Amino acid sequence: MNRTYDDFLCRLKEQRKQLGLSQEQMAQRVHKTQSNYSKVELGLQRLSYEELKYLSESGIDIYYIFTGYRGSGKYLDFFERKTYAEICSYLGIIYSILSLGDNIEKKFSKISEEMLYIPLIISKEKSINAFLTLRHISGYQQKVMADKIGVDVKKLRELEKDRCLPDSEILWKTYHEFGISPMYILKDKEGIIHEVDALLEISEKECTEKILEIMSSLAEGNKE
């Protein structure tokens, strides 16, 4: 399937309409004027890093907007009580178990690609830079990497040195080129909670039960 940034825009508008929100109300959630938000939906402007976080904090499922995957909310309450670090650890466990499934490609075609970047998700290093690490893992020169995520080399260098932050289109292209979750790069707790919720529902019943059993054991261990 040929995916374009228009998919992101369609799901953004879909979420707004499903929640019964006007463009003005969405603009308020991301701290933009209505005029500028309208340009976002038309593809004439991008949502900034901070605007995406505002959107997520307001209750919008930005994981779904980026990926097209979402859960029913069945597991949200459990993860809301966890810290960001705990949720990232659980996410690493989920990806590890899902990767063992025989029919994983049919259920979630990008899961095998995302497995490559579990070290990014569960890394204890606070200073790790996703763009630099992705390029090194992939073995790309800066020009090739820049072309893949739709920026020039100067912009890529700024991203790799944490001198600028990615906007919605850069995050979307990075996800579809490399499979790394935009929620990780955004360091967004609510987004990662929605990601975990979606992954648990995508997996088969037996797989989900195993994941929940492991997570429950970990939760009990932390109480001791």
Side-chain angles (χ1 to χ4, degrees), residues 51-66:
E51 288 165 353
L52 286 165
K53 291 178 77 69
Y54 289 143
L55 199 61
S56 183
E57 289 167 3
S58 76
I60 302 292
D61 184 355
I62 61 172
Y63 177 71
Y64 167 69
I65 294 173
F66 272 108

Side-chain angles (χ1 to χ4, degrees), residues 61 63-64 67-75 91 94-95 97-99 101-112 114 175 194-209 211-212:
D61 184 355
Y63 177 71
Y64 167 69
T67 68
Y69 298 107
R70 62 178 165 188
S72 65
K74 179 179 179 181
Y75 305 100
L91 189 58
I94 291 169
Y95 276 132
I97 294 174
L98 288 179
S99 70
D102 294 333
N103 300 314
I104 197 63
E105 288 298 326
K106 295 179 182 178
K107 286 190 286 241
F108 195 4
S109 62
K110 299 186 74 62
I111 194 75
S112 59
E114 292 176 12
Y175 171 69
H194 281 287
E195 179 170 0
V196 171
D197 183 60
L199 290 173
L200 286 173
E201 293 210 17
I202 287 169
S203 63
E204 290 184 352
K205 182 176 182 292
E206 294 79 5
C207 189
T208 298
E209 288 176 350
I211 292 169
L212 292 175

Side-chain angles (χ1 to χ4, degrees), residues 117-129:
Y117 308 116
I118 283 180
L120 290 176
I121 296 170
I122 63 176
S123 173
K124 303 299 182 183
E125 299 178 40
K126 294 182 180 179
S127 61
I128 191 169
N129 180 282

Side-chain angles (χ1 to χ4, degrees), residues 49 129 131 149 151-167 170 185:
Y49 185 95
N129 180 282
F131 295 96
I149 64 172
V151 299
D152 58 30
V153 171
K154 181 179 179 181
K155 177 81 169 182
L156 175 63
R157 287 173 181 158
E158 295 295 293
L159 288 167
E160 290 185 347
K161 294 178 180 178
D162 291 319
R163 291 177 180 169
C164 72
L165 297 170
D167 61 27
I170 293 173
I185 300 177

